[in-house]
Amino acid sequence: MRGAKSNGYGVAILFLLTGAVFGGILGEVISNSDIVAGFAPYLVKTFLVLDVPPVTINLYVIRFMAGFAVQPNLISILGMIVAFLLYRRL
């Protein structure tokens, strides 16, 4: 039986990113739902964790611009926890 230790770090990161994305999508669905309208704002409030402002490289023929921000919400964090637990079961 294979355990989580035999899988690489890449698989763990893939699981965590997938859990965060699915959690984010679920958070967007919940935010538009009337069923949990009372506490939905608390579940979908984003928290700025990392913000790298856009950097522009101008090569006079092509201009590259890159930057990113990490802003998880509570549901995406819960998705990452579920993904980690699933990863540990492998």
Side-chain angles (χ1 to χ4, degrees):
M1 182 171 164
R2 292 178 48 180
K5 293 186 187 244
S6 65
N7 294 331
Y9 290 115
V11 175
I13 291 171
L14 182 66
F15 264 74
L16 290 175
L17 286 176
T18 304
V21 169
F22 281 142
I25 292 170
L26 183 62
E28 289 297 318
V29 169
I30 286 175
S31 70
N32 295 328
S33 174
D34 293 334
I35 298 171
V36 291
F39 58 91
Y42 301 109
L43 296 176
V44 297
K45 179 183 175 193
T46 59
F47 302 96
L48 183 63
V49 175
L50 178 66
D51 186 18
V52 177
V55 175
T56 303
I57 300 173
N58 189 356
L59 300 176
Y60 298 106
V61 175
I62 299 174
R63 183 185 313 163
F64 295 106
M65 184 181 291
F68 65 93
V70 178
Q71 297 178 332
N73 59 21
L74 185 60
I75 298 294
S76 64
I77 293 171
L78 290 175
M80 290 175 70
I81 291 170
V82 169
F84 178 74
L85 293 175
L86 289 173
Y87 172 75
R88 296 289 293 174
R89 290 193 83 195
L90 282 180

